[in-house]
Amino acid sequence: MDKIRRSDEEWRRSLTPEQYRILREKGTERPYTGQYTETATPGVYLCAACGLELFPSETKFDSGCGWPSFYDPLTSENVEEHEDRSHGMVRTEVTCSRCGGHLGHVFPDGPTPTGLRYCINSASLRFNKK
Ligand code: FE
């Protein structure tokens, strides 16, 4: 995949302050505050920074955790996983494969068929209705 590389200044210009804090500084939105936490409309969720298709609505489920949750990305090539040892925890960070934007984390407590829960910030996503 061709990577998108932009300077901090360019990202600051193209993202809202909240998107910049989360996507570029690995922040987290407060639970239950994101615009996509409870949506169930058919469509696809894209990276808010670069528009890469990330998660189909078919894999979205109600996890009760306060962030949009998916059990599978559209394709595994579109997301990357990294070990995250910040905040005294060992977690798996999920980023956009194309722009490197921080999306959230993936946990091994999701539903079938994958058993995974991709816990993703709404601010890192943009929705395209089917
Ligand atoms: Fe991206």
Side-chain angles (χ1 to χ4, degrees), residues 104-126:
H105 292 86
V106 58
F107 301 95
D109 59 7
T112 53
T114 63
L116 298 173
R117 170 172 59 100
Y118 288 82
C119 183
I120 304 298
N121 291 284
S122 291
S124 299
L125 300 173
R126 182 154 58 80

Side-chain angles (χ1 to χ4, degrees), residues 1 4 8 10 17 20 24 27 41 49 61 77 98 104 106 120:
M1 181 172 309
I4 292 180
D8 268 350
E10 289 173 305
Y20 182 88
R24 305 311 309 175
T41 317
F61 68 100
E77 286 99 68
R98 189 159 68 183
V106 58
I120 304 298

